Amino acid sequence: MDLNAFWIILTGALAAGACALVGSFLVLRKMAMLGDAISHAVLPGIAIAFFLTGSRAPLPMLIGAGAIGVAASVMIEALHRNGKLQQDASIGITFTWLFAVGVILISLFAGAVDLDQDCVLYGEIAYVPLDVITTGGGISLGPRAVWVVGAVFLLNLLFVILFFRQLKIVSFDSALAASLGISTALWHYALVGMVSLTTVAAFESVGAILVVAMLIAPAATAYLLTDRLKRMLVLSVASGVLSAVGGYYLAALLDGSIAGAMAVVAGGQFALALAISSRRSGAGNPAFLSVPQLISNQHEKNL
Amino acid sequence: MSESQLLDFFLLRQYNIRVVVLGTVLLGIGSAAIGCFAFLRKRSLVGDAVAHAALPGVAVAFMLTGTKNPAVFLVGAAIAGWLSMVAMDAIVRRSKIREDAAIGIVLSVFFGLGILLLTRIQKSGAADQAGLDKFLFGQAASLVTADVMVFGAVSLGLVVGLALLHKEFKTISFNSDFAHSIGLPVRGLELAMTTMLVLAVVVGIQAVGVVLMAAMLITPAAAARYWTDRLTVMILLASIFGAIAGYSGALVSYLAPRMPTGPWIVTAGTLIFLISLLAAPRRGMVARGLRNRRNSRKTLEENILKTLYQLGEEQGGMFNLRTASDVARRRRIPESQALRGLGLLRRSGFVEQANNGWKLTQEGETQGRRVTRLHRLWEVYLTEQVSIAPDHVHDDAESIEHVLTPELELQLEALLNRPTSDPHQRAIPYH
C-alpha cells in the first residue's frame, strides 16, 4: 500500500468511526432522519464560513456549522410544536430548504471560494494527501484532514465515554432520565451539536449527503448484531472502518468515487447483517432490552 | 438583463421559453398533487428516499443504453425507485430496525451507489455525461421538447389518475380498516399510489434534482394544508403552489442558465410555505396566536367575574367593593393578573373602580352568575350522569364553564331537572 492510499484510508476510517459513534445514538433514539437533516443543513454554514474566511480554516467552519446544525434542529422542533406541522414534514421542509440555500450560495460564490457542487455531493477524499501540514522546519506532519477528522473522532470518543451513562439512560428511557434529574433536552441538543460537528469534519472526506450513510448504516448494522450498547458502539466503529477500507479498494477497482463506494460497502455490510439476524432471531424481534427499558416495560404493564 | 428579455419571458415569446416554463410548471403540479397523499400518510421522507434512489437507476440506464433518452432514464429511475421502496419495506418488516433508520440507509446507500456509477461514467469520458449532471440538482434550462413531452404526459397521467382514484385514495389514507371492510382492493390501491409517487419523483428530478425532490412533494402539500381541511381543495392548492414554484424556477433558469434550478424552485416553494404557516386563516400561526390570546383573556375575565360573584355570595353584599388582592387570594392567582383582568372588565363595563376597590355592575353580576351556574350545573352533570366522585369534578368544570353555549345550558337544565344545588351543597343561581 502506498502512502497516499494509507492517508486516504486513514481519513475515511477516522471519519466513519466518528460518525458511527454518534450515529449509534441517532439510530437508538429514532433520530436517524434528524441526522440526515442536520447533515444537509450544515451546508449553508460551511458555505458562509468559506466565504467569510476565504479559506478552509477548520475552526470557524466547525463552529459555524455546529451552530447551524443546532439551529436547524430548533427550527424543526419549532415548526412541529408551534407551527403544528407533523414531524416528517417539518424535517423534510427544513433540510431541503437549508440545503437549497447552501447550493445557491455555493453557486453564487463559485470561483470566489474553493468549493464546488461535486465536493458537496461526494467530498474530495482523493485529494486529502495533497494538503499537508508542515512544521517550521519543513517536516511533514501528514495531511491536514487527518488531523481535523482525527480530532473530532477523539472528541466523539471522549464524549461517549465520559457521558456514557447519561446518553444511555436518555436514549432508552426518558422518563427514568427525568426522575434521575438528567435533562433530556440538554442531551438531545448535545447530541445534535456533536452530530453537526462530525458532519462538518467528515464533509470534506465524504460530502454532505454520504455522511448520512456513515452516520446510520454502520450503526444499524451493529444494532442488528448485538443487544448490548457497548458492543454496539464498538461494532459500529469497526463496520465504519471496514467500509472505509473496502470502499477505497472498490473505488479503485471501478475507477469511481471513493465516498460512493464507502456507502455501498456500508450498505453491503448492513444487508449481510440483516440476512444473519433475520435467520437467527426470526422476524422483527425487538430483542434490544437494557435494564432501564425492562423497568419501563414493567412500568407500562403496571399501568 | 434587459427589459425586453424579461418581457420575452413573461409573454412566453420564444419557443424554448415556452418549453421550459411548461415543463417546470407541469412538474410542479404533478408532484405536488401526489405529494399531498405522501404528506397526509406521514411518508414525506419516503419520497426523499425514492428520489435519491432514482440516481443509480438513471446511471445504469445510461450505462446500458449509452443514450440520454428521457424515456429510458424514466424507466431506469422508476425501477430503482421501486426497488428502494421494496428494500425499506423489507428492512422494517424483517428486522428490529425502525422506519427512520431504514429510510436513511436506503437513501444514502442507493445514492452512494449512484454517485459511484456516475463518477465512473464521468471518468470513462463518455461524451454525453454532462446530461447526467442535471439529475443531481436539476437544470430546467436544459429541458428540451422531448423531455417536456414525456414529463408532461406523465404529469397529465398523474393528475387524471388522481382525479379518478382520489376517493379511494382518500379512504385508504384516512382509514384503511374501513377501506378493507367496504371491500376496496387496499393492496392494489396502495400499489397504484406508490407507483404514482415513484413516477412523480422520477419526473420531478429533471427539474429539481434528486437531492431536493422531497421538497417538491412535501412543501406545497404542507403549505396547502394550512389553508383548508378539505382534501380536494388541498390538492388543488398544492398544485397551484407547485406550479408557482416551478414557474419561479423557470424564471431563474432563464435569467441565469448556469445556475442549478432545483434550489431556486425549493426556495420559492419554502417561501409560499412560510407565508402559509404564518398568515393562513384559522390554522396559521398568527390567527392561532390571536385566537389563543382572545381565549385566555376571555377565560381570565370570566374567572374574575365568577370570583367576584362568589365572594358576594359568601360574604354578602353582591355589589360591595372588593380589592384586587381579595380576588387574587380567592382564585390563587398573582395580584398583577387579577389587576389586568379587572382592568379589562372595567373597559367592557362589567366592573367599576371606586376609590379603594372594585365592584360588579349589573351586567357583571349577570355574567358572574351565569359562569357560576354553568360551573355548578356541570358538576351536577358529572356526578349524576357520569358517576364521577364529587371531589373530582371541579377541575373539569373550571374549563368547560367557558365554552358551554346557551343551547347546551338549556339541555343540561332539562336533563338534570333544573337542580337546585351542586354536589358541594351550594345553590345553583338561576335567573
Side-chain angles (χ1 to χ4, degrees):
Chain A
M1 180 169 31
D2 65 87
L3 195 63
N4 278 357
F6 170 76
W7 287 128
I8 292 172
I9 292 174
L10 181 62
T11 311
L14 287 170
C19 287
L21 283 175
V22 286
S24 294
F25 290 98
L26 290 180
V27 169
L28 285 176
R29 306 199 58 197
K30 299 180 207 163
M31 283 163 55
M33 290 319 283
L34 187 62
D36 183 31
I38 292 170
S39 64
H40 285 70
V42 295
L43 189 61
I46 291 173
I48 291 170
F50 269 26
F51 183 66
L52 288 183
T53 63
S55 74
R56 295 191 177 191
L59 204 60
M61 256 173 54
L62 288 175
I63 295 170
I68 283 216
V70 173
S73 77
V74 170
M75 177 172 163
I76 289 170
E77 199 58 27
L79 283 182
H80 178 50
R81 200 165 289 170
N82 306 339
K84 304 276 179 219
L85 184 66
Q86 65 202 42
Q87 188 89 40
D88 62 322
S90 79
I91 289 179
I93 289 175
T94 305
F95 87 77
T96 50
W97 178 59
L98 284 171
F99 191 77
V101 171
V103 175
I104 289 173
L105 287 178
I106 289 173
S107 306
L108 287 178
F109 301 157
V113 290
D114 170 28
L115 183 70
D116 58 24
Q117 290 171 14
D118 285 354
C119 174
V120 170
L121 285 170
Y122 44 87
E124 290 176 345
I125 199 168
Y127 301 135
V128 158
L130 302 181
D131 184 8
V132 191
I133 300 179
T134 44
T135 61
I139 303 160
S140 169
L141 294 177
R144 198 176 47 86
V146 170
W147 289 93
V148 175
V149 180
V152 170
F153 175 75
L154 284 180
L155 200 65
N156 284 359
L157 196 62
L158 222 61
F159 176 71
V160 170
I161 291 174
L162 284 180
F163 304 114
F164 183 77
R165 191 177 141 266
Q166 286 89 334
L167 286 169
K168 183 176 175 177
I169 295 176
V170 166
S171 302
F172 287 110
D173 191 341
S174 50
L176 180 70
S179 72
L180 291 174
I182 300 170
S183 160
T184 318
L186 174 73
W187 291 103
H188 175 84
Y189 284 113
L191 188 61
V192 165
M194 295 307 285
V195 171
S196 313
L197 270 187
T198 311
T199 305
V200 186
F203 172 84
E204 276 184 87
S205 315
V206 293
I209 297 168
L210 292 167
V211 170
V212 186
M214 293 297 108
L215 281 171
I216 302 169
T221 304
Y223 181 53
L224 285 176
L225 295 178
T226 178
D227 292 345
R228 303 199 52 85
L229 180 54
K230 273 182 195 161
R231 217 171 286 165
M232 175 179 166
L233 286 166
V234 173
L235 275 178
S236 69
V237 173
S239 164
V241 171
L242 200 61
S243 307
V245 179
Y248 178 83
Y249 289 105
L250 180 63
L253 190 71
L254 293 177
D255 191 19
S257 145
I258 297 172
M262 280 169 68
V264 171
V265 175
Q269 290 177 64
F270 175 78
L272 210 60
L274 193 65
I276 294 170
S277 75
S278 61
R279 181 161 307 166
R280 197 179 55 182
S281 63
N285 183 12
F288 203 111
L289 287 180
S290 68
V291 172
Q293 209 170 13
L294 283 172
I295 295 172
S296 92
N297 281 0
Q298 195 57 47
H299 184 61
E300 271 162 27
K301 265 181 221 154
N302 291 344
L303 279 177
Chain B
M1 184 59 41
S2 73
E3 234 167 80
S4 77
Q5 273 175 301
L6 271 178
L7 272 178
D8 277 350
F9 182 84
F10 290 118
L11 299 175
L12 304 176
R13 263 190 215 148
Q14 289 165 17
Y15 178 71
N16 62 341
I17 296 176
R18 279 199 291 274
V19 166
V20 171
V21 169
L22 193 66
T24 52
V25 167
L26 282 174
L27 299 175
I29 291 176
S31 48
I34 188 73
C36 286
F37 288 98
F39 173 84
L40 288 172
R41 310 187 78 195
K42 304 202 160 48
R43 307 197 75 188
S44 337
L45 296 172
V46 173
D48 190 31
V50 172
H52 281 72
L55 189 61
V58 172
V60 169
F62 178 79
M63 288 167 98
L64 287 180
T65 65
T67 60
K68 284 204 300 170
N69 185 334
V72 172
F73 284 173
L74 203 81
V75 173
I79 293 174
W82 249 103
L83 282 177
S84 76
M85 296 276 266
V86 173
M88 280 184 277
D89 206 45
I91 292 173
V92 173
R93 254 184 310 126
R94 289 172 49 118
S95 78
K96 59 184 179 180
I97 299 287
R98 280 159 307 215
E99 196 185 20
D100 64 316
I103 294 174
I105 291 168
V106 168
L107 179 158
S108 58
V109 172
F110 270 74
F111 190 74
L113 181 64
I115 290 289
L116 180 62
L117 296 175
L118 211 58
T119 45
R120 180 179 160 74
I121 293 171
Q122 277 170 349
K123 284 188 185 160
S124 69
D128 283 337
Q129 63 86 12
L132 293 178
D133 267 358
K134 68 183 179 211
F135 280 94
L136 294 170
F137 292 121
Q139 200 98 65
S142 63
L143 285 180
V144 295
T145 319
D147 296 324
V148 175
M149 300 278 265
V150 171
F151 300 133
V154 173
S155 278
L156 202 66
L158 285 179
V159 172
V160 170
L162 269 183
L164 291 176
L165 287 172
H166 98 273
K167 243 193 195 122
E168 285 79 5
F169 281 178
K170 189 168 156 181
T171 316
I172 65 169
S173 299
F174 289 112
N175 194 342
S176 67
D177 290 342
F178 174 69
H180 266 296
S181 73
I182 60 170
L184 281 179
V186 174
R187 278 198 73 85
L189 285 168
E190 283 193 339
L191 200 76
M193 200 191 281
T194 307
T195 310
M196 286 168 81
L197 183 73
V198 171
L199 278 178
V201 163
V202 167
V203 168
I205 56 179
Q206 186 85 351
V208 296
V210 298
V211 184
L212 293 169
M213 183 57 216
M216 293 293 279
L217 296 168
I218 325 163
T219 311
R225 183 68 186 90
Y226 281 100
W227 299 89
T228 177
D229 288 332
R230 299 181 51 84
L231 181 63
T232 321
V233 182
M234 179 178 160
I235 294 176
L236 279 177
L237 269 178
S239 305
I240 293 170
F241 293 160
I244 296 173
Y247 187 82
S248 319
L251 178 60
V252 171
S253 246
Y254 179 65
L255 298 178
R258 296 181 61 83
M259 198 64 129
T261 328
W264 288 101
I265 296 185
V266 171
T267 306
T270 309
L271 203 65
I272 297 173
F273 165 78
L274 288 176
I275 293 171
S276 309
L277 170 77
L278 290 174
R282 293 205 320 106
R283 293 175 66 92
M285 280 179 78
V286 173
R288 224 155 17 81
L290 286 176
R291 198 162 58 237
N292 284 348
R293 234 185 84 173
R294 236 185 357 256
N295 282 343
S296 70
R297 188 190 284 181
K298 176 170 176 260
T299 308
L300 176 68
E301 287 182 10
E302 291 188 348
N303 279 338
I304 288 178
L305 286 174
K306 182 180 64 177
T307 308
L308 284 171
Y309 180 85
Q310 288 173 355
L311 284 171
E313 265 186 340
E314 289 157 15
Q315 304 169 356
M318 190 55 75
F319 298 102
N320 285 0
L321 282 180
R322 325 242 175 236
T323 65
S325 67
D326 288 342
V327 175
R329 213 171 318 122
R330 181 69 165 69
R331 277 251 12 119
R332 299 200 189 91
I333 54 174
E335 195 167 326
S336 59
Q337 206 182 340
L339 269 172
R340 193 171 75 88
L342 285 165
L344 289 169
L345 287 167
R346 184 187 54 199
R347 243 169 288 156
S348 36
F350 290 120
V351 300
E352 281 168 3
Q353 189 175 21
N355 36 4
N356 269 334
W358 307 76
K359 65 179 190 120
L360 285 170
T361 62
Q362 200 61 51
E363 297 84 50
E365 191 263 351
T366 312
Q367 283 303 313
R369 179 152 40 100
R370 184 183 66 86
V371 181
T372 308
R373 181 170 65 247
L374 290 174
H375 182 101
R376 292 178 184 168
L377 274 175
W378 190 254
E379 290 190 339
V380 175
Y381 169 73
L382 285 183
T383 38
E384 286 187 3
Q385 308 280 326
V386 196
S387 303
I388 293 178
D391 52 343
H392 280 70
V393 294
H394 175 78
D395 289 343
D396 198 36
E398 271 294 302
S399 44
I400 207 85
E401 68 195 19
H402 304 293
V403 292
L404 283 179
T405 58
E407 294 79 20
L408 279 169
E409 184 189 345
L410 283 178
Q411 283 188 23
L412 269 178
E413 275 186 41
L415 180 73
L416 302 168
N417 288 327
R418 210 175 151 93
T420 50
S421 66
D422 76 358
H424 312 293
Q425 282 75 46
R426 283 176 309 212
I428 295 179
Y430 293 102
H431 305 288

